[in-house]
Every structure is written in structure tokens, then in C-alpha cells.
Amino acid sequence: VTLGSVDDGKSTLIGRMLYDSGNLPEDQVAKIEQETVTSGLHVLPDFSLVTDGLLAEQEQKITIDVAYRYFRTPQRVFILADSPGHEQYTRNMATAASNAQVALLLIDARSGLTTQTKRHAFIASLLGIKRVIVLVNKMDLVDYSEDRFREVSSEFLEFSERLQFVDVQLIPVSALVGDNVVHRSEKMPWYTGVPVLTLLETLYVTEDENPIDFRYSVQYVIRPNQDYRGFAGQVLSGHIKAGDDVVVIPSGVSTKVAAIDYLGANGEESLPIAQAPQSITLRLEDEVDVSRGDMIVRSGNAPEVKREFEANVVWFSDSPLTLSKTYLVQHCSRFVKCKITDLRYRIDVANLGQQPAEKLRMNEIGRAHLLASEPLYFDPYTKNRRTGSFVLIDPENYMTVAVGMILERRTAGVALREPTIEPRSQFLHKEESKLTQVERELRSGHKAFTFWFTGLSGAGKSTLCKVLEQQLFERNRSIYWLDGDSVRKGLCRDLGFRREERRENLRRIAEVAKLFNDAGTIALCSFITPYQADQELVREIVGPERFRLVYLNAELNVCEERDPNGLYQKARAGEIKGFTGVDAPYEAPMSPDLVLNTGELSPDECLSQLLTFAQTLL
């Protein structure tokens, strides 16, 4: 794929390469020469006309759509994707680069690196391209200066140090004249390397497909009669043979592959083995319930099956990313609803720095946390490009708004190299107490649990916790209540109210509650906790065996009527931003341990149910 800023010579390079290597038909050469003479703009043939076929492209002298050109040399067969350089068409560039093994990145020798050049390089790194050939173009316009070539080369190498390229080659060229494109240039004797085409013919390129992990995405169930039941789809990665043990996700049912059917040039046939990226039909030995969107994998080799994940996202839409909006995520053959619950940061493509951000706008790149309505079956993008990528769609107009690359859990980013630092955990040692939690519970005379109260502001969390604490204390229970405002004045006073800071606030509280439980003390926690992802986070930290989630279900209008501190009124007036229920979402728990309808039940009725619930545990 060709990359680079607008007017850096990508289309001209491809045309010149095809022309000089004898891969352009004579009639097309004659047409280009005629149109060049007619326009009067060029002395030499305008080779950009080879790929810029749209009328708008020829009129504006820019590439808009992706043009693919197939050609061969005695050494290799190539598919060249000419991508647009204009910022407005970055989405087309990303589409072209998503399947490429090598990038040809052009840089105008006069202007050097531009923001768009850096953006293209960064997106190529995000998309997993490991090898890039940097072509410092238009050397004829800088008098074939070796010093200028070295300056531009150093500038790019310094920028790319934090990108995930494993092989970077640099060549000085003039695409228009043909210097160092197919033939060595006599005008740059100081360059001792090979021309572009020779390098492409000899460059070592590894397979992009994951050969280990078999992933088969079911697209259609074929049932022409009662004797045939097949599951059509594409092998996304790996390979499979008849007789192999497989598992169907999400059901988890195990079976064997009975046969592999394939419609080839010779008609229908059965294959002994199928591999990526073949489109086939699998028949299974057992009658298994399989539908479109399901995934078939090898036994003992399953992908992640989760509703939430983190990803690097490239935003394409004119409308900015909105955290409260529901999008559609297309992943393999599945379409499910999802929300972007948190934007961790935006990446400044000029210096690859991380910036706080509330939104992503067109062509901006950021790291986001996503929550899907149903589980997706994925691998990290670095491990499997096919199952680690997805597309976001606006359900209002069905326009593609973004592409994403799923990150490994707890990774800092897929496209940036992080400094090598000794993990602090190597130098920490936890001293174990001689007292066990069971011994502490025996001394206190009851078990220790964390009761986590979630609900809108005004649902009654603090009111109920305050009374429950007093009631249990009077029953000789060791108990402590953690409330939002009191925690933010001490333990979390360094945190603000951005999404990631709110999450860190809850994480700290969950860690404290866990310590209380270890000490044999009951912890009451009253926090809005609006996101299901955070509800699961605190459950995981405390431990499912000690954690109980209490959902105070009250309608927004009821909570707003109560509004003891006037917070809803201030939020409606715009004085408070990101207020849950007004301009920020609240996600009701998926599986609470207790639900209290505080909008209809009296405080005494709620307390009675709470005490009964607590006493059965303690």
C-alpha cells in the first residue's frame, strides 16, 4: 500500500513503476501520453492517471478512492493499493492498509514530514504493518541533495522509534523522472542501495494469517433437505481437518468435523483440510445448534468471550464520538449494540503523546473502553488481525464511523513501544498475617461481606446505608460505611470526575472494602457506579464470594424530585457536566443480588428487606 500526504507522489510512483517494468498495456501508455500533451501541464507523461481514474481525481489532481493494480515480475506477483493522502479520505487509506503486508511511505523531500505523513505511519503501525519502505520523493526538486535525504530520513526514524515497525528501509527517489524506482539512478551516486522494485522483489515478508489458532466464523446455515446440514463461512485463521475436535461458541458444545465442503472451479468437492482464508461449508458429526455469528474453534484453543474490551479506535465520522450514544459493532459475522463507556486518551499524531479527551473527531485516534450488549469472540489484534478488529456503525444512518483494533488486557497500547521498565511488583513482598480471615470472623461473631449500593443520585443509597449501619451495629456487628463525599475528601481527593478518574475512585474504594472484609468487618459502600463494567470491576476486586450488589431502582423523575442538594437542577442548567441521568448514562446492573424499588417502597419497607437479606448472610 502507498501511504503519505497529499501530493507526495504516490499515484505517480505506481504509474512509473508499472511503466518502467513493462506492466502497462501499450494502449494505456498511448492514452496517458495523449492526455498529458492535451493538458499541457507536464513535459513527462502524467503517470498518476494510471490509478486516478475518477473524473474528480483527474480534475483535482488528488487521489480519492483506493485503486488496486495487479502486476508481476519474474520474482513475484504484486497487488498494489494506491491510497489517498488527503486527510478527508483517511478512512479509505485505512481500508487499503488493513490487508497490506508492506507500506510504501512517500515523503516530499522539500517539505519533509507532515502531520498527515505521521498519521498514515501511525495508522499503518496500528493496523499491524511491520515493514515500511520510506521513499524520499521529488529528489530532482532538491538537486538530488544527499544532505536533504539524510535530514528527512533522520526525522522519520526519530518519529518511528515508538512505532511497531520491525523493518524500515529508506530510498531517495524521483517518481516522476524514474530515479531509483525500477532502475538505479546515475544522478545519486552517493546512494548505494537497490531501487524500489528490486527491494520489493527481495524483501522478506512473513504470512499475516495466524497459522495456529483456528477461527471459523459462521455466516449462513445451509439446510436444503433433512439429510444435509452445513455451516457456511470463512476460515479466519489457522486450519482444520475432517475428524478434528471442535467447540461451538458461545454454546460451548463439543463435536467433530464430519466433512469440509468446497465449491471450487471444478464444482462441489470435499476437502481433506481447509485453511485461511478459504470460504467453505463445515458439516459436524452431531446435531448441534449453530447460528449466524457463532464461531467454531479447536477444542482447548478458544478466543476471549467478553462483553467489554479496550481498543485503539480511528474515528472516521464528521460527528464526533459520543460516550452516551449506542453504536453497532460489526465483528466477524456478528452485529451487536455497544457503547464506548470511556475514552482513556487521544493520541497526538504529531508526537505520539497521550492527551486527555472527552471526544474523538474525524481522523483522530484514541484508546477506548467498549461495552457490548452481547459477548464478542475475539483475540488481541496483535495476535490475530481478523478476530481482533471491528467496525463501528451509526445505527441512525448505518454509516461506518470508526475502525478498532482490540488490545490485549492490561496493555498500554498496541501501536506504541513502551519504555522497558522493571515492574514494581518484582520488588514488593506481601507479608502474610498469622491471623486468618476465618479467625477474625470467629472473634467478631459473624461473616464479613461488602454490600455495594448502586443507583441514581437521590435513589436513597446514603439514607439506607446510614440506617442499616446503625441497625447492624446495635446487633453487635463490626461494620463501616464508605460514602462518596467522605471518600473524596480523603482517600480520593486527588481525583477529578473524568471517566477514568471515576473508575479509579471506585477501584480504590473496592480495595479498601476488601481490606475491611479481611479484617472481619462488614463494608457498606454507597456509590452511583453507573457503568456495568465498573460494577463487575468492584465485584472482581472484592471477590464474588464476599460481594453483594444492591440495586436501588428509582425512576429518574422520582430522584429528581427528591434532589436534596439541588444537583439535578445544576446539571440541567449546565453547571455540572457529566451528571449521571442528565448528560451521562446509567446502566442498570445485569445481575444484582438484591433489587429495592425505592421509588415505590417506603424507607422502613426497604430497611426490612435489607435486614432480612443481610441476616441470612451474616
Side-chain angles (χ1 to χ4, degrees):
V1 62
T2 59
L3 306 177
S5 188
V6 65
D7 201 33
D8 278 357
K10 297 181 293 300
S11 300
T12 301
L13 172 83
I14 291 179
R16 169 58 79 173
M17 187 183 299
L18 296 176
Y19 178 78
D20 285 357
S21 63
N23 277 282
L24 278 184
E26 292 182 4
D27 59 338
Q28 190 171 6
V29 172
K31 182 179 178 181
I32 291 173
E33 291 176 344
Q34 178 61 38
E35 290 183 2
T36 301
V37 172
T38 302
S39 69
L41 298 176
H42 299 273
V43 177
L44 296 171
D46 183 1
F47 291 110
S48 68
L49 297 174
V50 172
T51 56
D52 290 345
L54 298 177
L55 181 60
E57 293 177 321
Q58 296 175 7
E59 290 175 345
Q60 300 178 55
K61 297 300 178 183
I62 62 171
T63 301
I64 296 174
D65 200 3
V66 180
Y68 293 92
R69 288 293 178 268
Y70 299 75
F71 74 100
R72 67 172 60 240
T73 68
Q75 287 73 30
R76 268 184 175 159
V77 178
F78 297 92
I79 303 175
L80 259 173
D82 183 27
S83 70
H86 198 284
E87 184 176 353
Q88 182 179 348
Y89 305 113
T90 300
R91 71 185 76 186
N92 295 351
M93 168 263 156
T95 302
S98 63
N99 293 310
Q101 296 170 295
V102 180
L104 296 173
L105 179 66
L106 280 82
I107 304 175
D108 191 324
R110 298 169 300 173
S111 56
L113 268 70
T114 65
T115 299
Q116 186 68 346
T117 309
K118 295 177 179 179
R119 180 180 287 109
H120 276 207
F122 184 41
I123 293 176
S125 177
L126 280 176
L127 291 170
I129 296 178
K130 301 299 182 184
R131 288 165 176 79
V132 58
I133 302 174
V134 179
L135 306 180
V136 182
N137 191 26
K138 305 187 182 182
M139 291 297 296
D140 55 313
L141 301 181
V142 293
D143 297 326
Y144 300 101
S145 168
E146 180 181 4
D147 289 341
R148 182 55 184 158
F149 171 71
R150 302 296 177 196
E151 288 174 10
V152 176
S153 300
S154 297
E155 187 181 3
F156 178 80
L157 290 174
E158 181 180 357
F159 171 77
S160 66
E161 281 181 353
R162 295 183 62 202
L163 300 180
Q164 296 284 14
F165 298 134
V166 298
D167 185 10
V168 178
Q169 308 269 1
L170 298 112
I171 304 177
V173 302
S174 172
L176 182 63
V177 179
D179 292 305
N180 285 336
V181 177
V182 174
H183 307 292
R184 285 284 304 272
S185 172
E186 298 179 355
K187 300 169 184 174
M188 291 177 279
W190 45 266
Y191 173 69
T192 58
V194 298
V196 178
L197 185 58
T198 303
L199 180 57
L200 288 174
E201 290 175 322
T202 57
L203 191 70
Y204 174 72
V205 179
T206 57
E207 285 292 332
D208 283 333
E209 304 291 348
N210 181 324
I212 307 284
D213 304 314
F214 174 67
R215 304 287 186 260
Y216 183 75
S217 181
V218 177
Q219 297 178 5
Y220 192 70
V221 179
I222 299 177
R223 192 71 185 269
N225 54 62
Q226 63 180 4
D227 298 323
Y228 187 97
R229 190 163 182 246
F231 306 103
Q234 185 180 36
V235 182
L236 302 178
S237 62
H239 64 276
I240 198 70
K241 305 190 302 294
D244 283 353
D245 294 319
V246 293
V247 175
V248 179
I249 298 175
S251 67
V253 175
S254 299
T255 184
K256 290 180 179 290
V257 175
I260 303 171
D261 297 333
Y262 177 71
L263 183 62
N266 300 320
E268 295 183 12
E269 57 180 310
S270 292
L271 300 177
I273 186 171
Q275 60 188 10
Q278 285 181 306
S279 294
I280 58 172
T281 299
L282 286 182
R283 281 184 281 147
L284 305 177
E285 286 191 357
D286 303 300
E287 288 291 329
V288 181
D289 183 15
V290 183
S291 304
R292 174 179 171 83
D294 289 355
M295 187 173 285
I296 300 175
V297 302
R298 286 186 184 276
S299 298
N301 183 352
E304 300 275 358
V305 181
K306 292 183 178 179
R307 291 177 56 229
E308 62 173 313
F309 52 92
E310 293 206 352
N312 285 319
V313 173
V314 184
W315 199 257
F316 291 152
S317 175
D318 294 327
S319 302
L321 176 155
T322 305
L323 293 181
S324 60
K325 184 170 181 174
T326 298
Y327 296 96
L328 291 176
V329 57
Q330 179 185 354
H331 177 260
C332 301
S333 56
R334 284 174 63 76
F335 285 85
V336 300
K337 295 179 180 179
C338 81
K339 285 186 178 181
I340 300 174
T341 60
D342 185 22
L343 182 58
R344 303 293 198 214
Y345 51 76
R346 180 178 59 236
I347 299 170
D348 184 348
V349 295
N351 56 24
L352 301 182
Q354 299 173 2
Q355 301 174 333
E358 298 292 335
K359 294 182 179 180
L360 286 183
R361 292 178 172 80
M362 179 184 280
N363 297 327
E364 291 185 333
I365 303 165
R367 180 180 177 183
H369 184 277
L370 293 92
L371 180 68
S373 59
E374 300 175 26
L376 299 180
Y377 326 129
F378 61 84
D379 301 284
Y381 187 80
T382 52
K383 184 179 180 182
N384 194 323
R385 290 171 73 171
R386 298 298 301 278
T387 62
S389 58
F390 61 89
V391 170
L392 284 182
I393 298 169
D394 189 333
E396 295 178 3
N397 52 28
Y398 287 91
M399 295 290 291
T400 298
V401 296
V403 295
M405 287 67 70
I406 299 174
L407 298 170
E408 292 189 60
R409 193 176 183 185
R410 297 188 181 93
T411 187
V414 68
L416 301 182
R417 287 189 179 138
E418 296 298 320
T420 303
I421 301 175
E422 294 273 4
R424 289 181 297 172
S425 59
Q426 293 184 2
F427 309 108
L428 298 178
H429 175 71
K430 181 183 178 182
E431 293 289 349
E432 298 292 340
S433 172
K434 292 183 178 181
L435 298 176
T436 66
Q437 186 178 31
V438 174
E439 290 174 321
R440 297 179 191 275
E441 289 179 339
L442 288 173
R443 171 63 62 88
S444 63
H446 59 83
K447 292 183 179 180
F449 280 86
T450 291
F451 296 93
W452 195 284
F453 290 74
T454 177
L456 291 169
S457 177
K461 299 182 297 299
S462 298
T463 301
L464 283 175
C465 281
K466 191 182 302 183
V467 180
L468 181 63
E469 182 186 36
Q470 182 181 12
Q471 291 285 332
L472 291 177
F473 181 78
E474 292 175 355
R475 289 168 171 76
N476 296 319
R477 303 294 193 256
S478 176
I479 188 166
Y480 195 85
W481 169 38
L482 294 164
D483 182 58
D485 289 345
S486 59
V487 168
R488 281 201 173 266
K489 290 180 179 178
L491 177 68
C492 300
R493 65 181 180 182
D494 60 318
L495 298 177
F497 291 89
R498 292 174 58 245
R499 175 69 181 89
E500 60 269 27
E501 292 176 301
R502 292 174 186 265
R503 187 179 178 90
E504 172 62 14
N505 178 58
L506 297 172
R507 187 196 68 80
R508 292 184 191 181
I509 295 158
E511 294 286 0
V512 171
K514 183 176 184 295
L515 291 175
F516 276 139
N517 291 168
D518 290 343
T521 299
I522 302 165
L524 302 181
C525 303
S526 55
F527 299 89
I528 294 174
T529 326
Y531 295 106
Q532 293 170 356
D534 293 344
Q535 295 160 13
E536 293 306 311
L537 171 69
V538 295
R539 183 191 296 272
E540 181 180 351
I541 292 172
V542 175
E545 69 284 353
R546 300 281 175 182
F547 184 88
R548 296 295 181 269
L549 187 64
V550 181
Y551 173 36
L552 303 191
N553 184 8
E555 296 295 333
L556 177 61
N557 62 323
V558 174
C559 297
E560 199 161 354
E561 286 175 4
R562 295 171 178 170
D563 201 12
N565 299 315
L567 298 179
Y568 282 100
Q569 185 177 358
K570 293 178 181 178
R572 297 287 184 193
E575 298 177 27
I576 301 177
K577 300 295 185 181
F579 192 80
T580 303
V582 178
D583 57 349
Y586 177 81
E587 298 173 353
M590 295 289 290
S591 53
D593 299 289
L594 177 65
V595 179
L596 295 175
N597 192 331
T598 56
E600 297 180 3
L601 298 176
S602 69
D604 287 342
E605 290 173 319
C606 292
L607 179 61
S608 177
Q609 291 190 33
L610 269 174
L611 283 170
T612 301
F613 177 69
Q615 293 286 24
T616 59
L617 298 171
L618 304 176

